[in-house]
Amino acid sequence: MRKSPAFETDDGFARMNLPDLRINYDPIDPDQFDRPIVSFCLETGQDNDELPLHSHKKGQLVVASHGSVMCRVPGGLWIVPPQGAVWIPAGVLHSNCVSDNGKVYVVFIDPQASTLPTTCCTFTISPLVRELIHRLSVFPPLYPVEGPTSRLGRVLLDELVQMSTEHMYLPISSDSRLQHLAASLLNDPADRSTVEELAARYAMSERTFARLVFKETGMTFGRWRQRLHILVALQRLSDGSSVQAVSLDLGYETPSAFITMFKKTMGKSPRRFLADRSSFIGHEPFA
C-alpha cells in the first residue's frame, strides 16, 4: 500500500508503541483499480509484520466477519464493532490490526462516487449490505464498467449512505505523554492507577493532568479510561473471550462490576449487546 506524503509528518504517532497494531495479510493497493467500488475478503494468519500508517485515494470500509479489527488513525483508535464496520475516508492515514485467524472484508470506494462521511466513523451494517459486500468480493476488481457487477456496486453504494453512524472511538492526541499513557493502558488495561498517581508519573499536578486530558480528548480521565475499557472489551468479546475473562483482564474485582459498567455505558449487558447485534445481522455473518 502506498504511503501518503503526510506520512513523514506523523512520526510521533507512527512510532507510538501500541499493542497488536500489525498486519498479517497481503496488502492491497486499491488505487490501481479504476472502479467506483471494489470489495476484497482477507483472511489472516499468525505471521505478523509491521504496517506503517498509510493512505489511499479511495475511502475504505473495514468490516469484520470473524475476529476483531482495530484501526489506528492520527488522533485515535477505532474498533470495528461486532457485526459492524469502520469507515476511513480517502486520504486519511490509517493502519488496521486484524486479530489472528480473522476474516475481514475491505471495501474501497471512490470519493466521487458516494456521499459517505468525510470523517472516520463506525456503522452497524444491515443483512443486505453484508450480502452485497460478500457478493461483490467474489468478482474480479476490474469488472466491466457496465454490467451486473457494476449495478451491484451501485446498489451497495446506495445502501451504504443510509447507514446510521456510531462512535466506537478512543481519542488519542499528538501529546507524547497521552500517547504513552494510552499505549500503557492498552497494554495493561487492568492498571487502576489513580489520577494522583498518573499525574506524578508524568511530573504534573493532579489539576494539570486533568486539564491536559480534557483539553486533548474532550473527556475527563475517568470517562476516557472507561471508553478504553469498552473498546478493549468489545475487541476481546468479539474474539470469543468470556465475560469473566474480560472482566479480570480489565481489572474488575467481579464480573458483575464489569457488567454494571458496560450496561451503564452501552445501555445493555455485554451478552445482550452482542446477541442483539448478531440477531440484527443473522447467525452467519458473511459466507
Side-chain angles (χ1 to χ4, degrees):
M1 295 182 180
R2 69 184 61 178
K3 297 178 184 178
S4 160
F7 175 81
E8 299 299 332
T9 67
D10 197 52
D11 288 343
F13 199 82
R15 290 197 302 265
M16 185 176 172
N17 184 27
L18 295 172
D20 300 329
L21 287 175
R22 298 170 179 269
I23 187 170
N24 45 6
Y25 52 84
D26 293 331
I28 296 169
D29 181 3
D31 297 332
Q32 66 180 303
F33 302 115
D34 184 22
R35 296 295 183 271
I37 181 169
V38 291
S39 177
F40 299 93
C41 177
L42 307 173
E43 296 191 52
T44 63
Q46 294 181 320
D47 185 15
N48 297 339
D49 295 316
E50 293 286 353
L51 177 69
L53 290 167
H54 62 282
S55 68
H56 313 290
K57 294 179 182 178
K58 291 182 171 68
Q60 178 176 334
L61 189 74
V62 184
V63 186
S65 175
H66 301 297
S68 63
V69 184
M70 184 176 285
C71 301
R72 174 171 53 142
V73 299
L77 298 174
W78 291 85
I79 184 169
V80 177
Q83 317 304 341
V86 164
W87 168 246
I88 304 169
V92 174
L93 289 166
H94 63 279
S95 181
N96 299 326
C97 163
V98 184
S99 59
D100 288 346
N101 301 313
K103 185 176 180 181
V104 61
Y105 285 79
V106 182
V107 185
F108 295 103
I109 300 171
D110 189 318
Q112 303 301 317
S114 76
T115 57
L116 286 167
T118 57
T119 57
C120 293
C121 61
T122 53
F123 297 112
T124 300
I125 60 172
S126 68
L128 175 58
V129 167
R130 174 199 64 181
E131 296 302 332
L132 289 171
I133 288 173
H134 165 65
R135 186 63 177 165
L136 190 62
S137 73
V138 173
F139 297 106
L142 288 175
Y143 51 81
V145 175
E146 295 296 334
T149 307
S150 182
R151 291 194 294 272
L152 183 72
R154 289 196 291 270
V155 172
L156 177 54
L157 287 172
D158 288 341
E159 290 296 318
L160 289 176
V161 297
Q162 299 181 56
M163 294 191 300
S164 58
T165 61
E166 302 173 314
H167 296 284
M168 301 290 185
Y169 171 65
L170 179 71
I172 302 174
S173 77
S174 60
D175 186 282
S176 61
R177 294 163 295 185
L178 292 188
Q179 288 193 8
H180 181 274
L181 176 59
S184 175
L185 291 178
L186 284 165
N187 277 295
D188 181 18
D191 182 354
R192 290 291 180 167
S193 298
T194 65
V195 171
E196 180 182 8
E197 291 167 337
L198 291 171
R201 184 185 302 176
Y202 296 101
M204 290 184 280
S205 68
E206 285 187 61
R207 177 173 292 185
T208 300
F209 175 80
R211 286 177 174 173
L212 175 67
V213 173
F214 189 81
K215 175 185 175 183
E216 297 293 333
T217 70
M219 302 178 182
T220 64
F221 173 72
R223 289 288 302 277
W224 183 81
R225 178 158 60 181
Q226 187 178 77
R227 175 73 66 85
L228 182 147
H229 282 173
I230 290 291
L231 297 187
V232 171
L234 287 173
Q235 184 183 40
R236 297 187 182 183
L237 290 168
S238 298
D239 284 341
S241 296
S242 67
V243 170
Q244 182 175 8
V246 172
S247 66
L248 291 175
D249 289 344
L250 297 181
Y252 288 86
E253 293 185 359
T254 63
S256 61
F258 163 67
I259 292 171
T260 298
M261 181 280 294
F262 191 99
K263 188 173 183 179
K264 182 178 180 180
T265 305
M266 305 300 291
K268 301 174 182 177
S269 69
R271 292 188 188 279
R272 175 53 58 190
F273 181 84
L274 295 174
D276 286 353
R277 295 181 79 95
S278 295
S279 176
F280 176 75
I281 288 298
H283 295 293
E284 293 295 333
F286 295 99

